[in-house]
Amino acid sequence: MPEPQYEYDVEPFSLAPSELENAKLAFTNVLNDRASNGWVLDETLRIDAASFFLIFRRPIDE
């Protein structure tokens, strides 16, 4: 079996429709923070109307 090329991490994220501007800023901050450590947003899984899992991946350093 080949060695994995990526590692993954999950970040829970919630947003309330009444606070979309704050959620936009929080989402941007999460993306920028993760990107500064080599993570890329790979997928978003919706849990319910206001809850998500943000799935990040990055290459495994060899």
Side-chain angles (χ1 to χ4, degrees):
M1 181 174 205
E3 291 294 318
Q5 297 179 355
Y6 297 98
E7 62 180 324
Y8 293 86
D9 197 19
V10 176
E11 174 96 22
F13 190 82
S14 296
L15 65 103
S18 61
E19 296 189 16
L20 285 178
E21 192 60 37
N22 290 339
K24 177 184 164 189
L25 179 60
F27 184 73
T28 300
N29 288 340
V30 167
L31 291 178
N32 287 329
D33 181 57
R34 291 301 185 116
S36 71
N37 291 304
W39 294 99
V40 175
L41 181 63
D42 188 58
E43 191 171 345
T44 303
L45 296 176
R46 185 176 180 174
I47 305 305
D48 60 32
S51 300
F52 301 84
F53 284 144
L54 306 177
I55 301 172
F56 292 89
R57 76 173 182 173
R58 68 178 173 189
I60 294 176
D61 292 332
E62 295 187 33

